Amino acid sequence: MTRALLSGGRRSVWPVRLVLAALLAFGSEVLLWTNPPGRSLLELPLLVAGYLAVGTLLLDLIARYRVRGLFGALLLAGVYGLCAGLVINPETMLNDLPRALVTRVMGAHALLGLEMIGLLLALTGEGMRPRRLLLAGGLVVGAAWGIWVRWFPVDAGYAEVSLPGALAAAGAGVGLIAALLVYAAPRAAGLIPDDLRLSRRGWGVLALALLALFGLRLFQGVIPPPALLAVLPLLVLCLAILWFRGRTRGETLLDGHLPPTPRWRDFFTALAAFGAAAILAYNLPAFEIEAFNPFTLIGVGFTAYGLAWLPTVSLVLGAQAYLRQIQRARQF
């Protein structure tokens, strides 16, 4: 009873899950431009269910294993990218293996997942550092998105996207996120990270939902069998690292960020920076320097991130564990 009162009731967790799901969808659908105008109405319920299920999973992992710090966020974003490849957008993320595994699953979508987790934390954090991060992020992401949405749709075989059309899609996504933040803040009052942990019944429902989506994608034939041999082991590896690093007590990424109450002045400042940078970048004339142009450089960045983040996390965390073992041995 006491916990229910402190957490504002069990239903108060759903607005937070909806906010994260909307952020993840904005990153993968709009910023990476997974052809949102080309989606059929029949796909929308599956997308909503997929993003909500994966967002719920990430929030549970944060609370259950006390995920904290940059490396914890990298692993969470990796879990998101791998799950998105299996149950949300396999037709675009797994259609060109093994290249797509690096560039899209482990690269672009994992990076955007990290950015959306960071956006949630920066929007709801206090102090000058989150404010500066929001402004810098708005400029950098806006510029990259302006270039990406100008050239990527044609390169991927989609219809060319006009600047007003791109801005309209981004505005709809931002409007949905803002509305959900307004909805979530008062309803999540008193919420603590532990309230986001799923019960056994909740885990059962989530597992059934993810398995149902996965089974449907298999039935649709959009998951090539070789993808399972690559994606599932990587997903198990990320979850295993989170489990080994898990603690029963301590800080989490969400400490100080619940309820998700944004600073609206900073929100709109970052949004203005994003929009201005996107408009300028979209209208940049095409140019190349030794076969490279801004669009290909973004693709190289996605590939480099996809190749580097998991080995880096594994090496750093392994080194940290080894040093802790040495320190304990010296104590004896």
Side-chain angles (χ1 to χ4, degrees):
M1 180 67 177
T2 302
R3 180 175 175 177
L5 290 172
L6 289 174
S7 67
R10 295 302 298 169
R11 288 189 297 174
S12 62
V13 301
W14 284 104
V16 180
R17 292 168 179 165
L18 287 168
V19 168
L20 181 57
L23 285 167
L24 295 173
F26 180 72
S28 285
E29 299 295 324
V30 177
L31 295 184
L32 286 178
W33 201 260
T34 318
N35 196 26
R39 297 286 197 182
S40 70
L41 291 178
L42 294 177
E43 287 183 280
L44 293 182
L46 296 177
L47 291 174
V48 171
Y51 284 111
L52 185 57
V54 176
T56 299
L57 172 65
L58 296 186
L59 291 170
D60 176 89
L61 294 175
I62 292 173
R64 185 174 301 276
Y65 299 124
R66 320 306 295 177
V67 177
R68 67 200 185 283
L70 174 61
F71 295 115
L74 285 167
L75 288 167
L76 285 173
V79 170
Y80 164 69
L82 292 162
C83 288
L86 288 175
V87 303
I88 300 178
N89 285 311
E91 65 276 15
T92 59
M93 294 172 67
L94 301 176
N95 64 355
D96 186 18
L97 295 174
R99 185 178 69 89
L101 179 66
V102 175
T103 60
R104 300 176 189 174
V105 178
M106 300 289 283
H109 286 269
L111 178 58
L112 265 294
L114 179 65
E115 291 179 5
M116 294 302 102
I117 293 170
L119 177 58
L120 175 63
L121 300 180
L123 275 175
T124 56
E126 296 291 342
M128 287 297 297
R129 184 178 179 184
R131 184 174 295 117
R132 290 170 179 169
L133 287 174
L134 273 175
L135 182 58
L139 289 170
V140 172
V141 175
W145 181 69
I147 295 168
W148 185 257
V149 82
R150 171 67 180 85
W151 302 107
F152 172 72
V154 175
D155 184 73
Y158 303 143
E160 183 176 354
V161 181
S162 67
L163 180 58
L167 292 176
V174 170
L176 175 62
I177 293 167
L180 287 173
L181 285 168
V182 171
Y183 175 78
R187 289 166 177 81
L191 199 69
I192 59 176
D194 279 341
D195 292 322
L196 296 167
R197 290 183 57 171
L198 292 165
S199 63
R200 289 184 180 180
R201 180 180 297 178
W203 260 108
V205 173
L206 178 63
L208 286 174
L210 290 172
L211 287 173
L213 287 170
F214 177 64
L216 178 61
R217 298 308 189 189
L218 285 175
F219 178 76
Q220 292 173 331
V222 292
I223 301 179
L228 300 179
L229 299 176
V231 175
L232 289 178
L234 289 171
L235 179 59
V236 170
L237 176 60
C238 291
L239 293 173
I241 296 174
L242 287 170
W243 180 75
F244 278 112
R245 296 186 73 234
R247 303 164 300 153
T248 56
R249 296 181 181 180
E251 297 180 354
T252 75
L253 289 171
L254 295 173
D255 288 358
H257 299 277
L258 294 176
T261 305
R263 303 179 313 280
W264 291 110
R265 180 178 177 181
D266 297 339
F267 177 92
F268 288 113
T269 300
L271 180 60
F274 172 87
I279 291 170
L280 289 173
Y282 184 95
N283 289 295
L284 282 176
F287 65 91
E288 288 192 357
I289 302 175
E290 297 184 358
F292 286 98
N293 57 51
F295 170 64
T296 59
L297 286 176
I298 294 173
V300 169
F302 287 150
T303 303
Y305 180 84
L307 287 170
W309 73 264
L310 186 54
T312 301
V313 169
S314 301
L315 287 172
V316 171
L317 295 182
Q320 290 176 349
Y322 178 70
L323 291 174
R324 283 196 297 268
Q325 291 294 331
I326 293 177
Q327 291 173 352
R328 289 173 184 172
R330 287 178 178 176
Q331 291 174 358
F332 292 100

